[in-house]
């Protein structure tokens, strides 16, 4: 139909497609190879440009944005940009986050003529960065005037369907070329299930769940990525069945939901959670991807007849169902399964009780986490970086909270960039970043972008002189685990001269309480000073075990005083 064809420049078409996919902001760093596209963005106003201090933070921001928005994108310049951002995209791949990575790349003219250009290896080849992105993306392409329409749509659709990042090279000399494009908007959709496979799968799953004495549901991060968390709660309600999450899926199931029982991590779980999951005669696991940090160091043992449901497949006993989409499977079961009677025993999750600390007492990790538990409100977005801040995983979250973390990939500094991205996507929610000094030093510059755009997060930074979580692996007091002692609380002023941010340095329990009573009408930045050897037992125990896995029996971890050990009296 000729009426459905429009004439448009390639650059404008790309921006239009991103907009149609629900993207409203583009993160990144300008460079000569992407400026033509940036000019189109500027002139058309299709998307809002959020420049970041570097490409790594830009990729983290796009990832954080995608977590709250469903899809995110960033734009960088050839070679230097994508290679800086690749760690962030590796994280998006590991965590199943759909991000469109766009690199303004060397002009097609140079490819045609074999001309050496800056930001390349100057070796006459041009595919290095496409190749570099192969292990961290679900699809890659170099856009040309011939393939622009199909390839732009293929990449956006692939990212969204697979919940994985994609990488696009956009040559600098094609942005202003006119091509024929469809005038119909891009519709993001899941491929419909094969109807026979779907109904067979729903029947088999319903039969197993209906006849089970103790059905249970175990949720990993994909339940969030594929948007089925509320469906799973409805299913649990139908079945009157308990639901646990792995720590990578913290808060995916509302922690106030009556059937929510807590985090399952093998022997590192609360005993009743371990019992319920491991003794279930029909465990439905959603997107389960066990690694050492999500399984209590491989102590998780799911029942052998566990049903594994993934984005597009379900494993039940001997049967493997392909071409079924997760949401259709869950909805299908909800539609036919009878409502179970109330009365199955369910456990309630109590917030952990700490001993009440004296206001004048020196701030400790125990007092800190007690205060944070009391500070969190319904609807908060909480970010956790690597380190002792992992304790947040053990706090009980009120209704409607979102957790943003990188549990599988675990790249320090991720959370600052992710905060910029996610607060851009959801500026009206309260965002609370929990981070250590070491992690913060990786990506601290992005605080300036957060201030520049008048965002009002709460940043709770633990200054304990370095990498305390690592001291539990090795190097209890060794200098390699120390970091420079920045004046963290002064940074809002450094990053924005006219800042209205409220900064606090907390050395005592009373200091912290005072800081946490500050209103949230501007950024609140709290630097809490703690001892380098003060670590929550859960963190040191896990680090000590990690050292055994990492270094083996011949490792140096057992040498006297080389490892921070748990203080049991905590
Ligand atoms: C990019 C990257 N580099 C190094 C590491 C190794 N690492 C994991 S946690 C950590 C230290 C975190 O220290 P900090 O943020 O101060 O937290 P603390 O335990 O002191 O509270 C390091 C260096 C990592 N995870 N990611
Ligand atoms: Mg630290």
């Amino acid at each position: 139909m000729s009426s459905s064809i429009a004439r448009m420049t390639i650059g404008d078409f790309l921006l239009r497609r991103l907009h149609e996919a629900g993207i409203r902001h583009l993160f990144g760093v300008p460079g000569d190879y992407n400026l033509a596209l940036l000019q189109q963005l500027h002139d058309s106003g299709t998307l809002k440009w959020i420049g970041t201090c570097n490409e790594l933070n830009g990729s983290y921001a796009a990832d954080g944005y995608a977590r709250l928005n469903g899809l995110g994108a960033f734009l960088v310049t050839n070679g230097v940009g994508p290679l800086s951002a690749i760690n962030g995209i590796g994280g998006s791949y590991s965590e199943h986050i759909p991000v469109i990575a766009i690199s303004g790349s060397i002009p097609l003219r140079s490819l045609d003529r074999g001309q050496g250009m800056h930001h390349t290896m100057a070796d006459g080849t041009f595919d290095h960065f496409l190749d570099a992105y192969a292990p961290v993306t679900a699809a890659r392409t170099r856009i040309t005037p011939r393939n622009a329409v199909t390839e732009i749509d293929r990449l956006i659709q692939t990212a969204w369907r697979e919940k994985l990042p994609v990488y696009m090279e956009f040559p600098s000399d094609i942005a202003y070329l006119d091509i024929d494009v469809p005038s119909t908007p891009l519709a993001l959709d899941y491929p419909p299930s094969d109807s026979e496979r779907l109904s067979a799968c729903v029947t088999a799953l319903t039969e197993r769940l209906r006849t089970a004495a103790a059905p249970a549901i175990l949720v990993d991060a994909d339940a969030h990525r594929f948007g089925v968390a509320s469906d799973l709660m409805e299913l649990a309600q139908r079945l009157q069945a308990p639901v646990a999450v792995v720590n990578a899926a913290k808060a995916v199931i509302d922690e106030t939901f009556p059937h929510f029982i807590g985090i399952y991590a093998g022997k590192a779980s609360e005993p009743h959670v371990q019992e319920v999951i491991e003794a279930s005669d029909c465990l439905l696991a959603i997107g389960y991807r066990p690694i050492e940090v999500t399984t209590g160091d491989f102590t998780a043992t799911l029942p052998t007849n566990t049903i594994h449901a993934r984005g597009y497949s379900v494993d039940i006993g001997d049967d493997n169902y392909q071409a079924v989409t997760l949401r259709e499977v869950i909805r299908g079961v909800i539609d036919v399964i009878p409502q179970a009677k109330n009365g199955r025993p369910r456990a309630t999750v109590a917030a952990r009780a700490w001993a009440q600390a004296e206001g004048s007492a020196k701030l400790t990790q125990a007092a800190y986490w007690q205060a944070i538990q009391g500070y969190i409100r319904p609807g908060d977005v909480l970010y956790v970086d690597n380190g002792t801040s992992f304790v947040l995983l053990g706090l009980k979250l009120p209704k409607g909270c979102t957790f943003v973390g990188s549990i599988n990939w675990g790249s320090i500094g991720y959370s600052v960039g992710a905060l910029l991205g996610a607060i851009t996507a959801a500026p009206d929610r309260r965002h609370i970043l929990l981070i250590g000094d070491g992690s913060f030093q990786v990506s601290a510059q992005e605080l300036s972008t957060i201030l520049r755009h008048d965002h009002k997060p709460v940043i709770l930074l633990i200054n304990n002189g370095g990498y305390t979580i690592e001291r539990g692996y090795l190097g209890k007091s060794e200098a390699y685990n120390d970091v420079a002692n920045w004046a963290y609380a002064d940074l809002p002023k450094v990053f924005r001269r006219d800042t209205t941010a409220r900064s606090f340095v907390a050395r005592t329990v009373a200091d912290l309480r005072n800081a946490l009573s500050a209103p949230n009408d501007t950024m609140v930045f709290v630097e809490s000073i703690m001892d380098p050897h003060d670590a929550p037992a859960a963190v040191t125990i896990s680090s000590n075990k990690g050292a055994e896995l990492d270094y083996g029996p011949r490792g140096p971890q057992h040498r006297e005083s080389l490892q921070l050990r748990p203080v049991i009296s905590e």
Side-chain angles (χ1 to χ4, degrees):
M1 264 194 303
S2 62
S3 63
S4 66
I5 300 286
R7 208 67 191 149
M8 211 170 186
T9 68
I10 301 177
D12 282 330
F13 179 67
L14 170 60
L15 298 171
R16 193 190 111 193
R17 281 310 205 212
L18 294 174
H19 188 271
E20 288 167 354
I23 293 171
R24 297 289 177 272
H25 300 82
L26 189 61
F27 301 90
V29 181
D32 58 313
Y33 296 122
N34 67 31
L35 287 175
L37 185 61
L38 266 176
Q39 188 61 39
Q40 288 172 314
L41 179 145
H42 176 84
D43 290 340
S44 64
T46 328
L47 307 177
K48 188 166 179 209
W49 174 249
I50 310 283
T52 53
C53 301
N54 61 57
E55 288 83 355
L56 175 61
N57 293 348
S59 68
Y60 288 158
D63 179 300
Y65 186 86
R67 287 180 190 234
L68 270 74
N69 184 60
L71 204 56
F74 69 84
L75 174 65
V76 297
T77 196
N78 197 78
V80 294
L83 289 197
S84 286
I86 200 166
N87 174 12
I89 286 298
S92 301
Y93 195 90
S94 169
E95 302 282 329
H96 290 183
I97 307 295
V99 170
I100 323 279
I102 306 164
S103 172
S105 57
I106 55 169
L108 289 181
R109 168 189 203 275
S110 300
L111 264 71
D112 258 3
R113 295 183 171 181
Q115 283 172 332
M117 298 289 284
H118 67 287
H119 302 335
T120 72
M121 304 309 187
D123 60 357
T125 67
F126 302 97
D127 292 344
H128 290 306
F129 312 119
L130 278 164
D131 293 345
Y133 267 67
V136 294
T137 50
R140 299 150 295 286
T141 200
R142 176 180 295 126
I143 302 294
T144 68
R146 277 92 57 209
N147 72 16
V149 168
T150 50
E151 287 294 89
I152 288 170
D153 284 4
R154 176 177 76 92
L155 258 63
I156 297 174
Q157 187 79 261
T158 300
W160 191 80
R161 283 187 171 177
E162 302 294 335
K163 310 302 174 197
L164 290 172
V166 295
Y167 174 68
M168 177 189 299
E169 295 207 339
F170 193 94
S172 58
D173 57 351
I174 66 166
Y176 279 85
L177 302 181
D178 284 320
I179 53 167
D180 279 355
V181 302
S183 45
T184 43
L186 177 68
L188 293 177
D189 50 12
Y190 294 116
S193 302
D194 174 273
S195 56
E196 184 282 328
R197 291 286 77 198
L198 177 63
S199 70
C201 178
V202 166
T203 304
L205 185 52
T206 305
E207 203 44 33
R208 279 280 313 274
L209 288 167
R210 198 181 57 76
T211 54
I217 302 174
L218 178 62
V219 171
D220 203 336
D222 274 3
H224 166 258
R225 312 304 187 243
F226 285 93
V228 296
S230 57
D231 303 299
L232 290 171
M233 288 191 270
E234 203 178 326
L235 178 61
Q237 162 66 30
R238 267 296 163 88
L239 298 165
Q240 295 289 299
V243 187
V245 299
V246 304
N247 55 16
K250 173 79 175 169
V252 168
I253 299 299
D254 200 303
E255 296 192 355
T256 60
F257 177 59
H259 300 282
F260 175 71
I261 55 167
I263 292 181
Y264 174 69
K267 290 194 171 129
S269 325
E270 296 289 329
H272 73 275
V273 177
Q274 188 184 2
E275 164 70 21
V276 164
I277 295 302
E278 294 179 3
S280 170
D281 61 342
C282 182
L283 181 65
L284 172 60
I286 309 293
Y288 187 57
R289 290 193 292 146
I291 65 170
E292 97 281 31
V293 295
T294 59
T295 58
D297 293 303
F298 305 119
T299 58
T301 42
L302 303 195
T304 47
N305 63 355
T306 297
I307 300 164
H308 286 280
R310 306 186 181 96
Y312 299 107
S313 67
V314 177
D315 243 319
I316 306 178
D318 291 339
D319 292 318
N320 177 272
Y321 297 87
Q322 293 293 328
V324 292
T325 61
L326 185 55
R327 184 138 199 277
E328 286 187 297
V329 170
I330 308 289
R331 294 299 330 163
V333 175
I334 292 170
D335 285 347
V336 295
I337 203 154
Q339 172 69 50
K341 290 194 192 61
N342 282 331
R344 283 220 174 91
R346 36 175 126 127
T348 48
V349 192
R352 191 184 144 182
W354 281 272
Q356 192 66 29
E358 283 291 317
S360 58
K362 198 168 154 273
L363 189 56
T364 60
Q365 288 269 350
Y368 185 76
W369 292 105
Q370 180 183 43
I372 305 299
Q373 176 71 78
Y375 185 64
I376 301 167
R377 287 199 312 242
D380 284 343
V381 183
L382 298 144
Y383 302 75
V384 155
D385 218 300
N386 280 49
T388 59
S389 296
F390 276 146
V391 175
L392 178 97
L393 287 163
L395 299 194
K396 176 159 186 191
L397 303 186
K399 200 169 177 50
C401 287
T402 302
F403 169 82
V404 177
S406 176
I407 301 297
N408 293 333
W409 187 246
S411 185
I412 57 171
Y414 161 76
S415 64
V416 184
L419 167 63
L420 167 66
I423 205 168
T424 302
D428 296 331
R429 294 176 67 179
R430 189 171 74 155
H431 296 250
I432 304 177
L433 169 60
L434 295 143
I435 188 165
D437 47 0
S439 301
F440 186 73
Q441 289 197 0
V442 179
S443 51
Q445 312 96 302
E446 235 49 62
L447 193 58
S448 76
T449 316
I450 293 166
L451 288 161
R452 181 179 178 188
H453 294 282
D454 293 316
H455 294 303
K456 303 172 176 56
V458 181
I459 297 181
L460 303 176
L461 180 142
I462 296 176
N463 177 353
N464 53 13
Y467 306 135
T468 292
I469 193 171
E470 302 288 32
R471 299 182 197 278
Y473 280 75
L474 204 64
K476 177 178 178 186
S477 304
E478 325 306 287
Y480 55 71
N481 280 326
D482 298 343
V483 301
N485 189 16
W486 294 7
Y488 298 95
D490 292 344
L491 286 175
K493 179 81 190 145
V494 172
F495 285 137
R496 181 165 175 168
R497 288 172 194 281
D498 64 344
T499 187
T500 58
R502 295 193 170 82
S503 281
F504 303 87
V505 178
R507 291 190 167 78
T508 65
V509 175
D511 290 345
L512 179 64
R513 287 188 189 140
N514 173 51
L516 295 181
S517 66
N520 293 121
D521 54 351
T522 184
M523 177 186 287
V524 174
F525 191 107
V526 187
E527 172 187 350
S528 294
I529 310 232
M530 288 185 232
D531 191 278
H533 289 165
D534 181 7
V539 171
T540 22
I541 289 168
S542 148
S543 292
N544 292 173
K545 284 196 183 136
E548 296 309 315
L549 284 177
D550 282 358
Y551 316 128
R554 300 289 305 267
Q557 69 272 24
H558 300 294
R559 253 158 54 191
E560 179 104 23
S561 290
L562 210 48
Q563 202 181 47
L564 183 61
R565 300 271 162 74
V567 178
I568 301 303
S569 65
E570 186 193 65

